[in-house]
Every structure is written in structure tokens, then in C-alpha cells.
Amino acid sequence: MNTKEVRRHDGRLKQLRAALRRSRGAPRRARFLCPVLLVEEMAELCKGHVLPRGVGGRTWVVQRKDVDNFFGTFAEADYQHGVTLRALAANAANPAELLSYLQRHRLSGKVGLSLEDAAGNSTTANAGLDARGTPGLYLESDTLVEDPQEAVLRYNLNMELPTLVSCIHSVHLGLFGKMGYAYVSDKAGWFLASMLGGLYREYATKANKAKRDDLRKSPHVLPDACAPYRNLVRAVFNATEALDPRLLETPFDWFHVVWDGDTPVATIHYLKVRDECHAVMAYATFDERSAALVCSAQPLAIEVALGRFVGETPEFGVARRTVVWPCGDPALRLPPVPLSVGAKIMRQRMLEWTHE
């Protein structure tokens, strides 16, 4: 997309935003270049919230209604459930609230709710209501567990797939809202759009409903289409103490820039939702360095500096510090290597793949 086309699309986007802001009824149909599908066609438009409204998102950008609704049902609803469930689980003294939430939203299967006895035997369980309307546990045989204290309650609240997709979707919309079509035509915009658009094309149609429903039954499992993007999103613990407050309050005005020497390799945006925070990486280059950030099996030591937008122009700070980006499987506890070393490993792998 050349500069003239960017200006033309940005001008049209400004008009559509104003029309949506004035609209009191159904959004108008209009010709729109979708930043997710990267196709321009007539479509019904809506206000696409950068962060889901269910977790407090207020900022919005113009979006295709069908695309926005897909991500709302495919990922964002379960992402919101995950945030709420993890907060409830942190209050271990009152598991009834957690069970009540699971029952109301029929999430027992999605979190793999089960009871484990002293011998380690596990039995699938469901959260339900007893005759008095009190949340309780039921086994597969619909037998009410009278005293769940005798067993250990097990569940998986990771919601890895919804978290990954929702965070990437939020950063994509946030950067689109900040930079317009200059972002969409850049490497970072194209890269994130290719992932999100690929999911829409693979799972949004009626023909793929069964496959989509099966995938949503196990939100902690990443499909093959998402596996290469796993390293893009990482949880940040104690974010309020560890990060500049501006990174959390305005994640698209302020961000971290990842440097390799004099080259900006990526930006990192921090999405704080209630008591949780996720760091999301958007690439600025496509070479062995970005390949290392995507494919590395062990953590990478990277140099970051504070960056910000002044209007639509990014400015970079000069003070840098080294942080560890937790690529790969954290359970393996592998030592971090410098980004330059990870890039060298990827360069060698690329050469091997070329010769195979």
C-alpha cells in the first residue's frame, strides 16, 4: 500500500468513525478495508472495542461487524471467563463462588472440573445446584458430592487459546486505531492480521461450526494454526510494581521497544485487565531475529527501551535494560540466551531447511 492509498483509506476511516459515533441505530453498510482480513468490500460496520467491553474496554475502532462478532464469541467471551475465574480461584477460602460461576456459565467441561481422591483417582465433575439452589458438585452419574472437602478439586483455568487470540486481537486493533492504515501496510500489521484473518477464515463459516465448537471445548489447547504465535503473549506478574505506570495506563501511547544493536526489532504492549497483565509483542522486522522470538525453545535475553507515540510518529528512549522474554515451555526451566545467539541458531536452521 503506497502513501497515497494510505491517505485515502485513512480519510475514509475518519468519515466512517464519525458516522458510527453519530449513529443511534444499526451501523451503516459501507465499503471498508478490513484490517484483519485485508480485503476491501461492502460490509456492515460496528464499534470494535480494543479491549473487550466485558473487562472494561471503552476505546473502539471501526470494524466489520461479522469479524468483530466472530472474535467476541470465538475468544473474548472465554477470555473474560478466565480472568473472572482466576480471580475467584485466588479466594480459596470461598470455593462456592467459583462453583456458582462455573454452574451459571456451564464451564465445568471447559475447565476440566474433576475431583481427586487421596489415592490420586480422578473423576469428572460438574458444577450444579442442589434442591435448595446451592452450588454443588455432581459426578458423571449425577450423584451429588455431599462433602467435597474429602477430595481435592481440580481444574484448569489457563484459557490459553482465548487469552492468546484476545490479546493479539486487542493489540492489532489498538495499533490500527493509533496508526491507521500505515500500520496495516507495515510488517507488524500484516503479521498479526495474517494470524487473525487465518483464524476467521478457518473457523467462522457455518461449514466449520463443528470444528469451531470442538476447539472451544478445550480452550487450554492451542490449535496448530496458533502454535507459532505462542511466544507473542506472556503473562507479567507484579506488573504494577515492575513497570512504568504509563505502559499500563496507555499501552498504545507508551510501549517498550526491543533493540538489536541499532535496529528496532519489535514493540511490546502491556494489557492490564483487572489484576492481570499480559505483554504482547508486535514485530518490526522479518528475519532470523523475529524467527527466534517466534520459534525459540528457550528464553531470550532482550534489550528494551521506553518508546511512545507523538501523534502517529514513534519516539524511542535511549536508556536500555535487559529483560528475559520467556519463550518456549517455562516448565523446562531452560537458561536464557541473548537474542543474537537465538538469531544465529535460527539462521543455521534456515540454512538447513533450505538444503533439505
Side-chain angles (χ1 to χ4, degrees):
M1 189 185 300
N2 59 38
T3 304
K4 184 177 180 180
E5 289 175 320
V6 167
R7 286 200 301 266
R8 177 171 64 85
H9 284 298
D10 279 344
R12 181 62 175 142
L13 181 64
K14 185 177 180 179
Q15 295 173 357
L16 294 173
R17 187 184 296 117
L20 277 179
R21 190 178 291 115
R22 293 192 302 265
S23 175
R24 294 181 179 275
R28 301 177 182 178
R29 288 179 59 83
R31 194 163 187 84
F32 178 63
L33 175 58
C34 176
V36 173
L37 302 181
L38 301 181
V39 294
E40 183 181 3
E41 57 191 13
M42 291 294 295
E44 187 176 2
L45 305 180
C46 71
K47 297 177 180 179
H49 285 80
V50 173
L51 280 173
R53 279 187 295 177
V55 293
R58 294 294 179 266
T59 305
W60 60 271
V61 296
V62 180
Q63 284 294 280
R64 279 179 54 151
K65 190 173 183 178
D66 56 343
V67 175
D68 197 65
N69 286 349
F70 167 75
F71 285 102
T73 57
F74 181 79
E76 291 174 355
D78 283 341
Y79 171 61
Q80 296 168 40
H81 288 320
V83 171
T84 302
L85 286 169
R86 288 188 289 271
L88 292 174
N91 183 16
N94 191 6
E97 287 189 42
L98 175 66
L99 293 176
S100 177
Y101 191 92
L102 292 174
Q103 183 273 326
R104 289 199 311 274
H105 297 281
R106 299 181 181 181
L107 296 172
S108 298
K110 287 189 176 184
V111 303
L113 189 65
S114 65
L115 284 176
E116 185 178 296
D117 61 22
N121 300 313
S122 182
T123 305
T124 300
N126 289 297
L129 300 176
D130 62 17
R132 294 172 295 179
T134 303
L137 286 171
Y138 290 82
L139 302 182
E140 289 178 314
S141 60
D142 291 334
T143 302
L144 177 66
V145 180
E146 297 291 349
D147 188 6
Q149 300 301 323
E150 295 180 356
V152 178
L153 193 63
R154 300 291 187 192
Y155 42 76
N156 185 338
L157 306 182
N158 286 340
M159 299 287 182
E160 186 174 10
L161 173 61
T163 299
L164 178 73
V165 175
S166 293
C167 288
I168 291 175
H169 187 238
S170 290
V171 165
H172 188 60
L173 294 189
L175 290 174
F176 173 62
K178 191 69 186 175
M179 300 174 63
Y181 287 98
Y183 161 72
V184 173
S185 62
D186 194 34
K187 298 180 181 69
W190 178 89
F191 185 72
L192 296 186
S194 66
M195 179 260 191
L196 297 169
L199 287 175
Y200 178 86
R201 293 183 176 93
E202 185 169 358
Y203 295 106
T205 65
K206 291 182 179 179
N208 289 327
K209 183 180 184 303
K211 184 167 65 171
R212 180 173 68 249
D213 291 345
D214 286 343
L215 191 64
R216 292 182 62 210
K217 289 176 183 177
S218 302
H220 53 280
V221 177
L222 285 183
D224 292 341
C226 291
Y229 301 88
R230 174 180 277 138
N231 286 349
L232 283 177
V233 179
R234 284 296 182 241
V236 180
F237 301 100
N238 301 318
T240 304
E241 293 81 9
L243 295 172
D244 186 314
R246 293 171 294 186
L247 294 169
L248 303 176
E249 295 165 2
T250 52
F252 305 108
D253 290 325
W254 292 86
F255 46 86
H256 273 145
V257 183
V258 181
W259 291 91
D260 180 35
D262 295 328
T263 304
V265 177
T267 58
I268 303 175
H269 305 267
Y270 299 89
L271 304 180
K272 190 174 188 304
V273 175
R274 298 176 191 166
D275 294 329
E276 298 187 357
C277 180
H278 283 90
V280 186
M281 188 175 288
Y283 300 126
T285 62
F286 279 123
D287 53 24
E288 60 271 13
R289 293 167 294 192
S290 52
L293 289 165
V294 172
C295 304
S296 178
Q298 63 189 106
L300 294 174
I302 57 178
E303 280 193 327
V304 299
L306 198 63
R308 66 169 180 164
F309 275 111
V310 178
E312 296 181 2
T313 304
E315 289 187 354
F316 308 133
V318 295
R320 301 185 189 180
R321 63 190 180 97
T322 301
V323 299
V324 174
W325 188 257
C327 297
D329 186 354
L332 297 178
R333 298 180 180 275
L334 296 174
V337 298
L339 176 60
S340 58
V341 174
K344 183 177 180 180
I345 294 172
M346 287 308 306
R347 192 181 306 119
Q348 182 60 39
R349 288 184 183 176
M350 289 175 179
L351 289 174
E352 293 172 356
W353 293 336
T354 302
H355 293 299
E356 286 181 357

